[in-house]
Amino acid sequence: MQTVDSINFKNKRALIRVDFNVPFDKSFQITDDTRIRAALPTIQKVLKDGGSVVLMSHLGRPLKKLKEDGTIDTEKFTLKHVVKHLSILMKKDILFADDCINTNSQSLSNNLKPGQILLLENTRFHKGEEKGDETFAAQLAHHGDVYVNDAFGSAHRAHASTTIVAKHFSKENKCFGYLMASEVENAYKVLHNCEKPFTAILGGAKVSDKILIIENLLNIADNIIIGGGMAYTFIKAINFNVGNSLVEEDMIDVAIAVMQKAKEKGISILLPDDSIIADKFDNDANVKISSNATIPSGWMGLDIGHEAIQDFTKVIQSSKTILWNGPMGVFEMENFQNGTKSIAVAVAHATQDGAFSLVGGGDSVAAVNKFGLNDKVSYVSTGGGALLEFFEGKTLPGVAALM
Ligand code: AMP
């Protein structure tokens, strides 16, 4: 894997695909700049070598959210909103091109001097971006001598700026940025090179969202812990009464097949023995603890119970590699956060004792952040969909394009 460390950027223009798809408030102030900060080390490396930087990114889904008159909402989706903040973080002026391929942008990038940074306008203002259009990608490629991809969060998309553009650069002139490299290295380590026992903890709402990962993990993991809303489909599949808990009826046969396959392969699937149940989906609902064999009608499981926490903790504690995706309950509500918090603590303890732990996928990342444990696990992925597809066993086009 070639990273920015393998290239000397002196007098070269690096065309860097970053992920500046950041959230804004109503007055276009950035509310979370994690993604921008994550790209800074790669930008700094290029500048330190004596190179210049052309940044490209998408922001939102401008072509899916057109204005009433059918035109693009350039006010809402412009990357210009990022310029001031990036300039503060980099402690230098940032040039901005009002389009990512027009002649003005080409002349700005052609005239860049070492040390300068140019940010191109939202790549998704052009249809060619999401279509992976060859001509559009060729136009983007004109902006750089070297192509760097540091947008792991978009690596599962074969879009022009994430994948197709790479065709225009020789093997020596394209590479992984630091963020992308560490995401790929850590995910690869878990999937292909992990120390055993390997425990995967899967939670969240739906079995259907996670089934491809579960099926792939049946080839690798020693233990698969299933919590959160998705556990109740499995619990119903073994003929227990789950009351009004979340169940995907059409996934029951799939759940049975997964449990059967795990048994054949000697992999243990752990389901929660008990739950915190509630009489409505509300933080102020009446609650009680129930065995998962007998959840009364009218009640629903919104968090794993104390026995489940103990069982899961024991397995986590004896693991050498841990992958965690998805909360154990409705952790956004205070009364149903204990299971997720306890599992986060167990993962942190196991990490302290020498296990390698990777937490990834939106809500489990939000959970470790919420409980202040993000620096107590080995790696927190920024990947979202890209990470999930990696663990489903798929080749990520953005990664393959750099090889
Ligand atoms: P996902 O995006 O599939 O990882 O799902 C995350 C969501 O699952 C969070 O918003 C949780 O509130 C929700 N969730 C977790 N446990 C349950 C549960 N027992 N019942 C309903 N929703 C749940």
Side-chain angles (χ1 to χ4, degrees), residues 40-90:
L40 299 185
T42 296
I43 299 171
Q44 274 151 351
K45 150 71 179 158
V46 173
L47 298 185
K48 198 166 157 240
D49 277 359
S52 57
V53 167
V54 180
L55 299 170
M56 58 178 172
S57 175
H58 76 282
L59 176 63
R61 316 198 80 183
L63 295 178
K64 302 251 159 43
K65 295 183 177 166
L66 295 172
K67 290 199 290 192
E68 269 175 19
D69 65 2
T71 59
I72 294 177
D73 192 342
T74 49
E75 168 85 15
K76 182 172 176 190
F77 293 107
T78 177
L79 274 167
K80 206 168 186 174
H81 299 310
V82 168
V83 171
K84 197 168 146 207
H85 194 71
L86 181 62
S87 168
I88 292 168
L89 292 175
M90 289 302 302

Side-chain angles (χ1 to χ4, degrees), residues 54-253:
V54 180
L55 299 170
M56 58 178 172
S57 175
H58 76 282
L59 176 63
R61 316 198 80 183
L63 295 178
K64 302 251 159 43
K65 295 183 177 166
L66 295 172
K67 290 199 290 192
E68 269 175 19
D69 65 2
T71 59
I72 294 177
D73 192 342
T74 49
E75 168 85 15
K76 182 172 176 190
F77 293 107
T78 177
L79 274 167
K80 206 168 186 174
H81 299 310
V82 168
V83 171
K84 197 168 146 207
H85 194 71
L86 181 62
S87 168
I88 292 168
L89 292 175
M90 289 302 302
K91 299 188 181 74
K92 59 166 59 205
D93 288 341
I94 307 294
L95 299 169
F96 182 71
D98 59 354
D99 182 80
C100 59
I101 50 167
N102 66 5
T103 47
N104 176 48
S105 69
Q106 296 293 354
S107 108
L108 282 170
S109 66
N110 285 340
N111 291 309
L112 271 191
K113 299 189 180 57
Q116 286 190 309
I117 301 174
L118 168 67
L119 173 64
L120 303 176
E121 182 56 287
N122 194 344
T123 51
R124 284 198 188 162
F125 282 177
H126 290 263
K127 283 195 187 97
E129 166 69 335
E130 289 179 78
K131 284 190 177 148
D133 183 76
E134 297 278 350
T135 312
F136 177 63
Q139 287 167 311
L140 290 174
H142 283 133
H143 288 297
D145 305 309
V146 178
Y147 172 65
V148 181
N149 192 347
D150 214 14
F152 182 68
S154 302
H156 56 317
R157 311 248 184 251
H159 291 173
S161 70
T162 62
T163 303
I164 313 301
V165 67
K167 288 185 192 173
H168 297 276
F169 297 85
S170 66
K171 230 178 156 128
E172 301 72 44
N173 286 320
K174 55 186 168 189
C175 66
F176 291 82
Y178 288 127
L179 172 68
M180 179 97 158
S182 60
E183 291 278 358
V184 172
E185 269 167 22
N186 284 297
Y188 191 91
K189 181 171 164 174
V190 170
L191 200 55
H192 298 292
N193 200 14
C194 70
E195 208 181 325
K196 300 278 196 166
F198 169 27
T199 298
I201 310 164
L202 299 173
K206 288 183 169 177
V207 181
S208 47
D209 288 345
K210 309 280 162 84
I211 190 62
L212 294 177
I213 294 191
I214 299 176
E215 283 173 350
N216 195 37
L217 288 174
L218 286 173
N219 300 315
I220 313 150
D222 301 292
N223 308 297
I224 302 179
I225 291 175
I226 298 179
M230 62 188 274
Y232 299 99
T233 300
F234 284 84
I235 294 166
K236 184 152 189 197
I238 48 179
N239 277 329
F240 282 175
N241 194 348
V242 297
N244 288 34
S245 305
L246 191 66
V247 168
E248 285 173 276
E249 295 289 343
D250 56 343
M251 295 304 287
I252 287 184
D253 286 344

Side-chain angles (χ1 to χ4, degrees), residues 203-206 209-210 227-230 232 246 281 301-303 325-332 363-364:
K206 288 183 169 177
D209 288 345
K210 309 280 162 84
M230 62 188 274
Y232 299 99
L246 191 66
F281 191 83
L302 294 186
D303 195 7
N325 170 268
M328 296 289 101
V330 186
F331 76 106
E332 302 93 331
D363 275 322
S364 22

